[in-house]
Amino acid sequence: AAESPLTRQLNRLTKQVTIFAMCMGIAFFCLSLFVVHEPFASSFIFALGMVVAFIPEGLLPTVTLSLAMAVQRMSRRNALVKKLDSVEALGSTSVICTDKTGTLTQNEMTVNHLWTATREYEISGVGYAPDGQIEGEGRSWRAVDDADLELLLEGGLLCGNARLAEPEEEGKRYEVYGDPTEACLIVSAQKGGIDRAELEARMPRVKELPFESRRKRMTTVHALEYPLEGARRIAFTKGAPNEVVRLSTYVRVHGAVEPMTEELRQRIMKANDTYAADGLRVLAVAYRPLDGANAGAGIPDAMSDYTPENIERDLTFVGLEVMMDPPRPEVAAAVAECHRAGIRIVMITGDYGLTAASIARRLKIVEGEGLSVISGFELSKMGDEELKEKLAGQVVFARMAPEQKLRVVTALQEMGEIVAVTGDGVNDAPALKKADIGVAMGITGTDVAKEAADMILTDDNFASIVAAIEEGRAVYSNIRKFLLYILNSNAPEAVPNAVYLLSGGAVPLPLTTMQILTIDLGTDMLPALGLGTEPPEETIMDQPPRDPNERLLNRRVLVKAFLWYGLMASIVAMAGYLLVNMLAGWPGIPLAGLGDDGDPVYIQATTMTLAGIIFAQIGQVMNCRTETTSVFKIGLFSNRRILIGIVFEVVLLVILTTFPPLQGVFHTAPLAWQDYAFLCCIPPVVIAIEEIRKAWLRRRERSRAVANR
């Protein structure tokens, strides 16, 4: 399997950090050996401590924790992730290829219009409860009132496999087993007074030609208790109106069979287009007698020869069943959030083009002029370069076979996009596998689709994809926050030692090797891990998709870590070191006893340097929690893991400075209350300085937004 963007970035980061740490180690070794003239062994140990200081030991646990926490949050938002690294890949998504039915819409079909060659009907009621009636020409209609209406409702009901179960509790929804489209045809027949059990007893099914995306229709063959047009066997076909009309040689008019004329074909397709333009889905119903005088030629005797080629021709058109699948109410906001985040949405559906375009406009997936609606037939005749030109603009794909998704996904990836694809059928598996993120439907999805996907939506809802993308972006952001925090502690570790080396030893070493290891392996670790669990920031979806080639450790992170946060902490560390010396009488006495390990001033000074770095990091971990948002807005105490980490590092400092056996190992001494008073002032000052910078950044962003309106 191909590496995820996160895996590639971590591999690159590992090399970067290794090279950087080794270079720093060699530089400090040479300075210690040749400038300060320390013994080889001391210089080597000193350099080794600096190498360890510049390696982020907690990176892998933080990445794993951040991914795991995101998966946990996503599961609460109806998205189940199968592989951890898929979470971050979601954050890089720049295009979502989504189907329509059930994902953008509620998948609760309701037939609201019926159309025959003689009249149009409206049906009241919403959902799968058979509450409503058929109305037309100012009166209510039952199926028995009109032969064409009756045959339309019967054909729609018989040509399907769905089942409806009444709710056990009052107020609950009907359970649908099978295709929701077929379920709503059952309801429309019930509203017309047709009893399903009685009908199926009168017209038992003897053969089925299942729906195929290529044919865009389905046919069932039934034996008749009472002859119809002299036939004892009949085939009902339902499917896309243009396909059914194309195969229809006859049409039912007032209960009689008449030849299909070009004028009637145009009337049917005009009605279909009118409904589709309103965002309604349309199915056509037709039939064919398989024996008797009106059967026509070419009907095989053996049922094994009942094939689509033999049966689905010379049909008699009956009418149209028009249904509404309303958009999910939360999808419009999710679409707007995608646009704000710079994520394009490409609808790929098996529905009619006008229906797809209408839904796309209603949800504002596309806006303005210049929309291209491409059918599966048109796509099959289109070259790769022409397809890419269309994909660069606003496009909706309609009447698409599931396998054609693969070509669209491949073209988008060749254009440099990170693509998420939704699917539910067996034929969707290649596209789901090819996509950077394959998203299967948990309710309507097949086992094959779920196996091929990286993520499963438990509610089949487009809004859940957007929520997952938000969490994916948070993962990458949290890893960056971890790096920023870990690297900014390297500066106050390196600067005091650099002062010692560059002064040729005139400034005694402010921080010992064991104290450096205390910071890296002790006090830094838990707060850094806490940063990996930060929830997404409010502004995270206001940014464009991240370039998958953008490095985790880029110039912006390095500048912020070393020249801003690191500089602040370095000043604090050296200030603590000098404060102890000044209180002891410096410059009237030698600075820190000239580095004598037995000198209490020197031990106190190195302890204060260590404590200053730790307390500076308390402020810096709070600063690292957000990019520009005020930490007070998200709450200083809202991340429990960071608070535990802060308590741990303060307790560890107290233990190392008060427990005698550890004092000798870590070169520490007890701190007085005056020392702690100074240390407690550090975090608020560090936070306040950063809050001023963030406020300035927020004001600048608002000014830019106003200027761009």
Side-chain angles (χ1 to χ4, degrees):
E3 290 183 337
S4 70
L6 179 61
T7 303
R8 292 194 296 269
Q9 287 299 321
L10 288 176
N11 289 339
R12 178 183 291 175
L13 176 64
T14 301
K15 295 175 184 177
Q16 288 177 313
V17 170
T18 301
I19 293 171
F20 180 70
M22 292 303 297
C23 290
M24 293 298 294
I26 292 170
F28 275 88
F29 174 77
C30 293
L31 288 171
S32 178
L33 190 64
F34 299 113
V35 176
V36 186
H37 304 293
E38 289 279 355
F40 182 89
S42 298
S43 298
F44 180 78
I45 293 173
F46 178 66
L48 189 62
M50 294 308 299
V51 170
V52 173
F54 282 97
I55 292 177
E57 296 84 1
L59 177 60
L60 291 182
T62 297
V63 170
T64 304
L65 180 62
S66 184
L67 290 170
M69 292 299 295
V71 167
Q72 192 177 68
R73 290 194 298 265
M74 288 165 66
S75 68
R76 292 196 292 265
R77 301 174 78 173
N78 303 307
L80 300 180
V81 177
K82 294 167 60 179
K83 294 188 297 183
L84 279 181
D85 59 0
S86 300
V87 176
E88 189 278 330
L90 271 165
S92 307
T93 299
S94 57
V95 176
I96 302 174
C97 294
T98 178
D99 53 8
K100 178 182 73 68
T101 304
T103 308
L104 299 175
T105 59
Q106 297 181 32
N107 204 20
E108 189 170 279
M109 292 285 190
T110 302
V111 176
N112 54 11
H113 289 82
L114 299 170
W115 190 95
T116 66
T118 54
R119 60 177 58 89
E120 180 182 17
Y121 306 88
E122 292 186 3
I123 304 182
S124 59
V126 178
Y128 296 115
D131 302 325
Q133 57 184 356
I134 301 173
E135 299 174 348
E137 298 180 350
R139 53 164 288 196
S140 297
W141 292 78
R142 307 289 286 173
V144 295
D145 297 335
D146 184 276
D148 298 341
L149 173 63
E150 183 176 31
L151 199 57
L152 173 61
L153 294 174
E154 289 178 343
L157 188 155
L158 291 171
C159 190
N161 295 309
R163 289 291 184 270
L164 281 172
E166 292 189 25
E168 296 180 359
E169 299 179 24
E170 188 176 346
K172 297 289 186 179
R173 292 171 56 175
Y174 276 67
E175 287 288 336
V176 176
Y177 300 96
D179 188 342
T181 301
E182 294 179 350
C184 76
L185 300 182
I186 299 172
V187 178
S188 66
Q190 290 174 331
K191 291 176 181 178
I194 293 176
D195 183 280
R196 179 174 189 167
E198 186 274 332
L199 177 65
E200 290 180 338
R202 223 173 4 99
M203 297 184 179
R205 181 186 297 187
V206 295
K207 180 76 174 180
E208 177 184 338
L209 303 176
F211 174 84
E212 289 181 0
S213 56
R214 176 182 57 83
R215 289 167 35 238
K216 298 182 177 62
R217 56 189 179 273
M218 170 187 181
T219 296
T220 54
V221 179
H222 301 264
L224 302 181
E225 182 179 349
Y226 305 105
L228 176 67
E229 299 174 15
R232 285 285 185 175
R233 190 167 286 176
I234 188 173
F236 283 107
T237 298
K238 80 171 192 308
N242 54 340
E243 291 295 318
V244 174
V245 170
R246 180 176 62 83
L247 298 170
S248 295
T249 308
Y250 308 99
V251 61
R252 286 270 296 200
V253 181
H254 292 301
V257 177
E258 297 184 3
M260 176 69 77
T261 64
E262 188 58 34
E263 185 269 334
L264 264 174
R265 290 183 197 275
Q266 292 179 1
R267 273 186 60 206
I268 295 168
M269 294 313 300
K270 182 179 179 182
N272 173 63
D273 291 349
T274 300
Y275 291 129
D278 290 334
L280 303 176
R281 188 176 184 186
V282 186
L283 285 179
V285 176
Y287 72 95
R288 183 185 183 187
L290 299 184
D291 54 16
N294 293 336
I299 297 294
D301 294 328
M303 197 175 299
S304 60
D305 293 328
Y306 279 11
T307 63
E309 292 74 22
N310 292 332
I311 302 299
E312 294 175 346
R313 59 190 181 90
D314 295 326
L315 301 178
T316 300
F317 177 84
V318 181
L320 304 174
E321 294 220 37
V322 185
M323 59 206 71
M324 171 185 63
D325 185 11
R328 291 179 181 267
E330 65 274 19
V331 167
V335 168
E337 191 168 15
C338 281
H339 290 324
R340 196 173 77 247
I343 300 170
R344 293 179 56 214
I345 302 170
V346 177
M347 184 192 292
I348 304 177
T349 179
D351 274 358
Y352 191 55
L354 286 175
T355 304
S358 175
I359 294 293
R361 292 191 184 281
R362 187 180 302 178
L363 293 173
K364 296 188 177 180
I365 292 174
V366 297
E367 296 182 277
E369 302 299 324
L371 171 63
S372 298
V373 180
I374 300 174
S375 68
F377 177 75
E378 292 169 334
L379 179 64
S380 64
K381 296 182 175 297
M382 192 176 290
D384 290 343
E385 292 305 315
E386 185 182 358
L387 173 59
K388 290 177 184 177
E389 287 179 13
K390 295 292 186 182
L391 285 169
Q394 296 192 113
V395 61
V396 168
F397 293 94
R399 290 288 185 233
M400 293 279 286
E403 56 269 20
Q404 289 180 308
K405 283 186 181 181
L406 179 61
R407 187 179 172 197
V408 175
V409 171
T410 302
L412 285 166
Q413 289 176 325
E414 289 174 356
M415 294 167 66
E417 306 285 1
I418 302 297
V419 186
V421 175
T422 67
D424 55 10
V426 173
N427 291 338
D428 288 324
L432 292 171
K433 203 75 176 174
K434 175 66 175 174
D436 298 283
I437 293 293
V439 183
M441 302 296 108
I443 300 174
T444 60
T446 61
D447 290 340
V448 174
K450 294 175 185 177
E451 182 64 30
D454 302 295
M455 185 174 78
I456 299 171
L457 300 183
T458 58
D459 60 352
D460 292 9
N461 193 338
F462 179 83
S464 297
I465 304 175
V466 181
I469 289 175
E470 183 181 20
E471 295 292 350
R473 288 189 173 191
V475 167
Y476 198 85
S477 174
N478 287 348
I479 296 172
R480 272 248 172 98
K481 291 172 184 176
F482 165 84
L483 280 175
L484 182 63
Y485 175 73
I486 289 295
L487 291 175
N488 81 61
S489 68
N490 293 155
E493 292 168 359
V495 167
N497 295 306
V499 170
Y500 160 70
L501 294 173
L502 295 176
S503 69
V507 177
L509 189 64
L511 200 65
T512 67
T513 300
M514 287 302 294
Q515 289 170 348
I516 291 174
L517 295 177
T518 298
I519 296 169
D520 284 323
L521 302 178
T523 61
D524 267 359
M525 191 67 69
L526 285 183
L529 290 173
L531 284 172
T533 66
E534 279 290 320
E537 291 186 51
E538 289 183 359
T539 58
I540 202 164
M541 293 298 280
D542 293 333
Q543 309 299 322
R546 179 182 58 82
D547 183 349
N549 296 317
E550 180 189 355
R551 298 185 178 187
L552 266 168
L553 191 59
N554 58 18
R555 181 181 301 176
R556 183 168 172 269
V557 173
L558 289 172
V559 168
K560 192 174 180 181
F562 290 122
L563 299 183
W564 179 242
Y565 288 166
L567 181 61
M568 276 194 280
S570 299
I571 292 172
V572 166
M574 291 306 298
Y577 179 80
L578 294 174
L579 177 64
V580 172
N581 281 276
M582 291 174 66
L583 292 175
W586 180 79
I589 63 172
L591 186 65
L594 295 180
D596 184 355
D597 285 343
D599 190 299
V601 176
Y602 178 53
I603 298 175
Q604 192 76 25
T606 59
T607 303
M608 197 63 171
T609 305
L610 170 65
I613 294 174
I614 291 173
F615 274 78
Q617 289 305 98
I618 292 174
Q620 300 295 25
V621 74
M622 290 297 178
N623 291 338
C624 289
R625 292 178 62 192
T626 64
E627 287 285 334
T628 58
T629 304
S630 171
V631 72
F632 296 104
K633 185 173 182 180
I634 65 171
L636 274 175
F637 308 109
S638 58
N639 190 321
R640 184 170 55 88
R641 289 176 178 84
I642 287 180
L643 297 179
I644 291 172
I646 290 172
V647 171
F648 172 79
E649 60 184 344
V650 172
V651 170
L652 181 61
L653 175 65
V654 172
I655 292 173
L656 294 181
T657 56
T658 57
F659 193 48
L662 295 177
Q663 289 175 345
V665 175
F666 291 94
H667 203 263
T668 59
L671 296 172
W673 70 267
Q674 297 96 330
D675 299 324
Y676 280 111
F678 169 77
L679 293 172
C680 289
C681 293
I682 295 172
V685 171
V686 169
I687 292 172
I689 293 172
E690 176 65 354
E691 283 294 308
I692 292 171
R693 187 187 72 88
K694 288 178 179 177
W696 175 77
L697 287 175
R698 292 194 298 272
R699 187 161 52 249
R700 188 180 66 172
E701 288 299 318
R702 285 195 296 268
S703 299
R704 285 180 178 176
V706 171
N708 291 333
R709 286 177 185 172

